Amino acid sequence: MTPSATVGSGRLTERMTALVGEVRAVVDRGLPPELTAYLVGERLAPHLRESDLLTEDQREGDPDRYRQHLVHAEPDGGFSIVALVWLPGQYTPIHDHVAWCVAGVHEGQESETRYRLVSDGRTAHLVETEHVVAPAGSVAAFAPPGDIHLVRNTGTTIAHSIHIYGADISRLGTSVRRTYRLPADGRR
């Protein structure tokens, strides 16, 4: 399922403006991707579940697919912040990312299935390694390689999440490096 995407209106709430500044301070330190993602996740967590984080426009969903609202792209390309809106049943394809990523559940819940790519040199398949149900306030941080996952809204209500990527999504058009259409099994 491909997301519908909208480009940010340039309007940020005061809380989002504060978050942008906090993320900028972490990214500007030039730390390794894993540590950067972890520290950005620490900055995101206190803002989740706060009613003044997103504008009404950034909370709008799409009945056909999950929707991405580009909230902020750093002028130097160092990071982007995206608000994702998930109606019940909406999901991503199995994918990985071009850069480090932090995902925080703002409202509702998301389910994530994580995978490991296994190859014998001739064929490859995905092995499920973990399934996580993340309620509002949850934060996950990761960096490639090994960030293969599928995200979905398995709940009965709308879900909103904030994703922060270590790349300029406004220029790249996506945070996804690759989608996987390989066989997947539930073995761990």
Side-chain angles (χ1 to χ4, degrees):
M1 178 174 278
T2 304
S4 64
T6 58
V7 177
S9 64
R11 283 186 355 164
L12 299 180
T13 65
E14 286 184 37
R15 180 174 293 279
M16 183 61 73
T17 299
L19 176 59
V20 167
E22 293 171 32
V23 172
R24 182 179 296 127
V26 170
V27 171
D28 285 351
R29 292 172 64 184
L31 300 169
E34 297 84 4
L35 182 54
T36 297
Y38 176 81
L39 293 172
V40 167
E42 285 187 333
R43 299 319 182 273
L44 173 60
H47 296 282
L48 297 173
R49 298 187 288 189
E50 297 295 336
S51 62
D52 59 344
L53 181 61
L54 298 173
T55 67
E56 283 304 309
D57 291 347
Q58 295 162 349
R59 298 171 54 78
E60 289 182 15
D62 182 316
D64 296 324
R65 60 187 73 75
Y66 73 100
R67 186 169 189 183
Q68 297 182 95
H69 297 276
L70 178 61
V71 175
H72 175 80
E74 193 69 353
D76 69 0
F79 68 93
S80 300
I81 300 177
V82 179
L84 276 73
V85 184
W86 312 79
L87 275 58
Q90 293 180 336
Y91 59 94
T92 68
I94 299 172
H95 66 283
D96 61 10
H97 294 275
V98 298
W100 60 263
C101 176
V102 174
V105 181
H106 182 52
E107 296 173 323
Q109 74 176 27
E110 291 179 5
S111 295
E112 178 186 17
T113 304
R114 298 175 185 164
Y115 298 91
R116 179 172 44 92
L117 182 63
V118 177
S119 175
D120 63 10
R122 293 186 313 256
T123 62
H125 68 280
L126 297 170
V127 174
E128 181 181 322
T129 60
E130 188 174 14
H131 181 77
V132 177
V133 176
S138 300
V139 175
F142 48 88
D147 61 323
I148 304 169
H149 65 162
L150 175 147
V151 181
R152 72 179 61 197
N153 179 355
T154 56
T156 58
T157 62
I158 194 167
H160 295 92
S161 56
I162 306 300
H163 293 223
I164 305 174
Y165 303 107
D168 185 348
I169 303 308
S170 67
R171 189 170 40 84
L172 297 176
T174 183
S175 67
V176 173
R177 182 182 73 87
R178 176 180 175 191
T179 58
Y180 293 81
R181 292 179 176 81
L182 298 171
D185 64 49
R187 290 179 287 146
R188 292 187 181 187

